[in-house]
Amino acid sequence: QILGLLFGVLLVGVCQGVPLYDYFSEGGITQGLVAENNEFYLNGKPFKILSGSLHYFRVHPDYWRTRMQQYKAAGLNTLDVYVPWNLHEPRKDEFDFGDLGLTQFSKEGFLNITRFLEMAREEEMFVIFRPGPYICGEWEFGGLPSWLLHEYPMYFRMSYGPYEDRAEVYMLQLLQKVKDFQFYTENGVKGGPIIMTQIENEYGNYGYSDYPRDKEHLRFLKKVLRFGGIESLLFTSDTPSSTADWGNVDYELMTANFKWNSEKELKRIKEIRPDAPILVSEYWPGWFDHWFEDNHNTLSDADFRTILGNIFGANASVNFYMFFGGTNFAYMNGANILGYSGVEVPPVYVPDVTSYDYDAPITESGQYTAKYNSTVEMIAEYDPLYNLIDRPLPPTPAKLVAYPDIEMIVVNDLTSILESIPAELIKEYEKPHSMEEIEIFNGNGQSYGYIVYRKEVSLSPGSKITIRGHIRDLAQIMINGVMVSEPILSSVQLLTTFGSWAIRDSQFVVPEGINCGESCTLDILVENLGRANFGVPHTFNQKKGIWEGDILIDDKVVDNWTHFMLDPTFSGEDIFRSNDLNKFDRTAAESLGFKVFLGVLTLGEDTEIGDTFFDFGCDACQDWSHGAVFVNDFNVGRYHTAGPQQTLYIPGALLKPGENYISVLESYHGSNTFKFTATPNYGTVAADTTDKDKENPLDMNINLI
């Protein structure tokens, strides 16, 4: 397939022309990007923005340059870049741009944004800069740091002092790093890649019906950007037919986000801004998936071409969101609230899968698709500068490898983990507290992972445990170290089974065989499956754990709970390991409950290392139910047998010759065999649809409540 795609590129032609920056800086840089007379001009020259979103935090830094070269070879001239606040200020006033090593993203080099921008310049690519503070992006909490929830009350993305104060502090730290990477500044450094900057993201959707949005907040963000040294063209982005210009301010450049109904959206934005050029700031060439969905969301190449043809037919510029999606590593996947126009649809909350493949022109592992070839062909016909600007051949992507199976042994369980957890991660409270409310990490609370609520109680068969409100998000009950609740493995169980977030006032009846009497250790383990990244104002109050109400036993309120915080994001994956590897045996995999498996993948010095996938969906892999995988202490993300995703991407950049340690945090079952595959499986693909079938906004926008 790759050879065919490369042949297609060769047929179009590889241009050894003028370097992009040389062309647009000829005679000196005297002007940045401007939008006037229905066209974009860069340094006074007409310019079609042909961009692809590239999230530096979703791809290993060793692959940054390859992805940029793949974009360039397709005919793109610009990268669209989000910046997640929660990675760069993971704790209040601790700003990490790859130099602090607070998280795995910092240790592996993901957060070195200045290096990313330098590389964009080296590869002759411009940059559309989208600094937040809110980015959406199917990223945890839309990029907002969870420690904001430690303060109560907290109101997000509006003219609320405590939020704006923290947003300004962060933004100014970020802007100090990037302001010298602009293409044009009046008195500062020139010649960098940044040509335009977003004020906020899809702000027209942040409200109810057509009530006015808080435009003073947008003006505040504009002021911060300008004060921080940003002189580039500013813009906002929304879907014109649904929110018009509600999220725009001061007639700054308005751009459009869409997939279906492309002609309608293009017509609407032209009605709103008749004298401005059109930029489709997000053309969605695929879509993302949620755990427990039946199918993997895709867009056919034929529909992809039709929509792109409509965009080009309107003389528009475009950014492919995404051109390459990548991966929601660790616990950084976002989530959605199902509904439309304020009407929620069960199970209401749905977490995103780990893969962000997005059915994009370039796959999660960097392979080429038919859409890539279509992009090359259509840009070649559309871009006036296609035969003038230098363009390379598409680089060869990383090899995909199916490594031999490895044996896994159980090295820890929940009881042992709680016995060895550091004292600073244990807190006592009268009422159950959310992760974010816990007084740890210097007032930052717990961000990700798991929390356990423990109490010594009296239980017998038939005793009823009630958790008022909703569990946030997924719970299981252990009595004296034994899991007694039922695993949640299917979408049907979300609405019927104890432990699901979808059930209000969940009730669990203690089964027969539990006869611990007055000395029962009750542990309620709750997993945070990711905070929603999109919604209306009230949905951003999304604390995790048990906090909406009391815990009752036989209808009597039970107070005074011990809280254990299990968050490998900061504490390290090693808090889940045991120092005594002989304490457990292979039969422990057969028991039900939270446990940790460890295996070793040994690679020879002459082994060709490539990307691979953990296969948890094959016929022999069904015992892997739900958990997370760590490769040499790097959390590559969650898996869940409910799908649709059935394989988990492992970048070859995380592997090395010699011993590679594979750890699995499994919530329910697990296996003594860990299988690799070179073939990704994102789930069953839904039946193909056409543009005409998508007139109902509930279909693709059911999550836009």
Side-chain angles (χ1 to χ4, degrees):
Q1 183 190 36
I2 293 175
L3 289 176
L5 290 169
L6 295 181
F7 181 69
V9 174
L10 286 170
L11 287 178
V12 172
V14 177
C15 180
Q16 301 298 319
V18 180
L20 183 70
Y21 280 72
D22 285 357
Y23 176 80
F24 281 103
S25 61
E26 183 181 12
I29 300 173
T30 60
Q31 189 179 45
L33 183 70
V34 297
E36 58 185 27
N37 301 324
N38 293 299
E39 295 286 351
F40 287 106
Y41 296 88
L42 183 60
N43 200 28
K45 294 183 177 182
F47 181 49
K48 282 284 185 290
I49 301 169
L50 299 166
S51 173
S53 291
L54 180 58
H55 297 167
Y56 60 91
F57 45 92
R58 278 186 163 124
V59 56
H60 194 283
D62 286 2
Y63 300 155
W64 284 352
R65 191 178 297 278
T66 299
R67 296 294 174 270
M68 292 181 188
Q69 292 171 350
Q70 289 176 309
Y71 283 37
K72 182 81 171 177
L76 303 185
N77 52 38
T78 304
L79 306 173
D80 177 273
V81 182
Y82 272 148
V83 182
W85 181 2
N86 52 14
L87 288 188
H88 289 292
E89 192 182 2
R91 295 177 182 169
K92 188 175 180 179
D93 291 324
E94 295 185 30
F95 302 98
D96 195 344
F97 293 93
D99 48 354
L100 294 186
L102 292 176
T103 66
Q104 66 177 31
F105 293 95
S106 180
K107 294 173 184 176
E108 283 287 327
F110 283 75
L111 304 187
N112 192 346
I113 189 171
T114 55
R115 181 65 193 117
F116 182 87
L117 293 172
E118 288 170 352
M119 196 176 294
R121 175 63 181 86
E122 292 165 3
E123 295 300 325
E124 299 281 332
M125 298 291 281
F126 294 123
V127 167
I128 297 172
F129 193 59
R130 305 172 80 175
Y134 162 79
I135 62 170
C136 186
E138 290 71 62
W139 191 250
E140 221 279 344
F141 209 12
L144 300 173
S146 66
W147 50 259
L148 288 169
L149 291 161
H150 186 73
E151 179 177 326
Y152 183 83
M154 176 56 69
Y155 303 103
F156 299 90
R157 303 177 63 195
M158 60 180 65
S159 300
Y160 178 64
Y163 172 74
E164 289 190 332
D165 288 348
R166 291 311 313 177
E168 181 175 14
V169 170
Y170 159 70
M171 292 283 283
L172 292 179
Q173 287 282 334
L174 170 63
L175 298 178
Q176 182 62 32
K177 294 280 186 180
V178 305
K179 64 182 178 66
D180 289 338
F181 288 92
Q182 295 177 90
F183 180 77
Y184 172 80
T185 61
E186 186 172 344
N187 297 308
V189 178
K190 297 180 178 66
I194 296 174
I195 58 173
M196 59 190 303
T197 303
Q198 183 173 253
I199 299 173
E200 226 258 9
N201 191 75
E202 296 179 321
Y203 199 70
N205 281 294
Y206 195 63
Y208 303 92
S209 184
D210 61 352
Y211 289 98
R213 305 318 191 228
D214 184 0
K215 295 197 175 187
E216 287 306 310
H217 177 61
L218 297 181
R219 292 188 177 95
F220 165 80
L221 293 176
K222 269 186 61 177
K223 181 179 178 182
V224 172
L225 289 170
R226 293 309 191 200
F227 181 78
I230 294 299
E231 299 180 40
S232 69
L233 179 69
L234 300 181
F235 73 99
T236 63
S237 64
D238 277 297
T239 301
S241 67
S242 59
T243 58
D245 59 353
W246 304 343
N248 189 262
V249 65
D250 300 338
Y251 293 91
E252 298 290 354
L253 179 69
M254 177 182 166
T255 67
N257 299 349
F258 61 78
K259 174 167 64 177
W260 302 113
N261 302 311
S262 54
E263 292 175 305
K264 175 182 176 181
E265 300 298 346
L266 292 163
K267 178 182 178 182
R268 182 66 179 124
I269 194 169
K270 205 60 184 171
E271 290 172 348
I272 299 171
R273 293 286 190 271
D275 298 323
I278 298 175
L279 168 60
V280 180
S281 51
E282 292 188 15
Y283 164 33
W284 305 319
W287 201 245
F288 54 94
D289 299 327
H290 301 113
W291 292 118
F292 297 95
E293 283 181 341
D294 293 333
N295 299 303
H296 169 47
N297 291 300
T298 62
L299 178 72
S300 71
D301 181 54
D303 284 341
F304 171 82
R305 293 175 68 97
T306 296
I307 298 167
L308 184 57
N310 289 338
I311 293 171
F312 287 168
N315 192 36
S317 290
V318 66
N319 172 60
F320 297 89
Y321 185 99
M322 304 289 296
F323 200 69
F324 158 83
T327 309
N328 296 317
F329 293 117
Y331 300 119
M332 302 309 294
N333 61 277
N336 285 107
I337 307 300
L338 294 180
Y340 186 74
S341 293
V343 179
E344 295 181 345
V345 178
V348 182
Y349 163 87
V350 282
D352 298 337
V353 301
T354 299
S355 171
Y356 202 59
D357 177 83
Y358 214 86
D359 194 38
I362 300 173
T363 71
E364 182 178 22
S365 58
Q367 311 302 310
Y368 298 102
T369 70
K371 292 178 187 175
Y372 185 90
N373 214 26
S374 294
T375 303
V376 173
E377 176 188 332
M378 295 182 72
I379 286 179
E381 295 176 357
Y382 180 65
D383 183 11
L385 302 181
Y386 191 81
N387 293 317
L388 179 64
I389 300 299
D390 181 51
R391 188 177 60 261
L393 274 171
T396 302
K399 181 181 179 181
L400 298 180
V401 181
Y403 296 103
D405 297 352
I406 60 174
E407 182 186 26
M408 305 293 287
I409 61 172
V410 176
V411 296
N412 219 336
D413 64 9
L414 184 63
T415 299
S416 298
I417 291 170
L418 298 183
E419 287 175 352
S420 60
I421 196 168
E424 61 268 22
L425 298 180
I426 305 172
K427 298 291 181 181
E428 304 281 345
Y429 292 102
E430 178 183 356
K431 298 292 184 180
H433 279 42
S434 70
M435 290 181 173
E436 298 82 357
E437 294 170 317
I438 304 294
E439 289 294 340
I440 57 171
F441 301 135
N442 297 319
N444 286 279
Q446 179 181 350
S447 296
Y448 315 108
Y450 312 81
I451 185 169
V452 176
Y453 302 86
R454 169 173 284 185
K455 179 76 176 179
E456 298 296 324
V457 296
S458 175
L459 294 172
S460 59
S463 294
K464 182 177 66 175
I465 301 171
T466 303
I467 300 177
R468 296 299 309 275
H470 290 270
I471 296 166
R472 307 294 182 184
D473 298 305
L474 200 60
Q476 59 195 73
I477 286 184
M478 315 280 289
I479 298 178
N480 287 351
V482 177
M483 182 177 171
V484 295
S485 56
E486 183 180 352
I488 295 177
L489 303 176
S490 70
S491 57
V492 173
Q493 289 178 294
L494 290 179
L495 303 178
T496 62
T497 305
F498 173 86
S500 166
W501 63 82
I503 301 173
R504 186 176 183 86
D505 297 342
S506 293
Q507 293 187 345
F508 176 78
V509 178
V510 176
E512 295 294 328
I514 303 298
N515 298 300
C516 49
E518 301 292 330
S519 57
C520 301
T521 300
L522 172 63
D523 289 319
I524 305 175
L525 170 69
V526 180
E527 179 183 1
N528 168 5
L529 291 176
R531 297 175 184 86
N533 55 270
F534 191 95
V536 292
H538 75 270
T539 60
F540 275 71
N541 182 31
Q542 45 182 317
K543 296 189 282 286
K544 297 297 185 176
I546 298 173
W547 62 276
E548 295 185 10
D550 287 312
I551 302 174
L552 296 80
I553 297 179
D554 293 329
D555 298 323
K556 294 183 179 179
V557 174
V558 178
D559 289 331
N560 301 314
W561 292 85
T562 303
H563 297 57
F564 296 82
M565 277 59 72
L566 307 177
D567 183 359
T569 306
F570 294 110
S571 305
E573 183 269 339
D574 57 338
I575 68 168
F576 293 101
R577 287 190 187 164
S578 171
N579 293 324
D580 182 5
L581 298 186
N582 297 315
K583 185 174 182 179
F584 298 89
D585 59 32
R586 290 168 178 79
T587 61
E590 301 172 7
S591 63
L592 181 66
F594 189 92
K595 60 184 78 70
V596 183
F597 290 81
L598 178 64
V600 179
L601 172 65
T602 302
L603 301 177
E605 291 293 334
D606 58 348
T607 301
E608 184 177 3
I609 296 177
D611 293 354
T612 188
F613 297 85
F614 165 46
D615 193 344
F616 59 91
C618 71
D619 291 342
C621 308
Q622 299 301 307
D623 287 338
W624 295 111
S625 301
H626 170 54
V629 175
F630 292 75
V631 177
N632 291 326
D633 291 341
F634 186 95
N635 184 350
V636 296
R638 292 185 174 93
Y639 63 92
H640 200 296
T641 189
Q645 179 179 350
Q646 297 295 318
T647 54
L648 191 63
Y649 173 63
I650 300 174
L654 296 175
L655 301 172
K656 63 184 187 301
E659 293 184 333
N660 294 274
Y661 290 92
I662 310 294
S663 298
V664 181
L665 276 59
E666 164 66 43
S667 293
Y668 301 132
H669 298 106
S671 170
N672 292 126
T673 302
F674 188 101
K675 288 184 174 294
F676 297 93
T677 180
T679 305
N681 180 359
Y682 298 119
T684 304
V685 175
D688 191 25
T689 56
T690 66
D691 204 331
K692 294 179 182 178
D693 294 325
K694 293 293 185 175
E695 294 298 332
N696 179 5
L698 280 175
D699 200 335
M700 289 308 296
N701 292 327
I702 194 170
N703 55 344
L704 308 184
I705 190 166

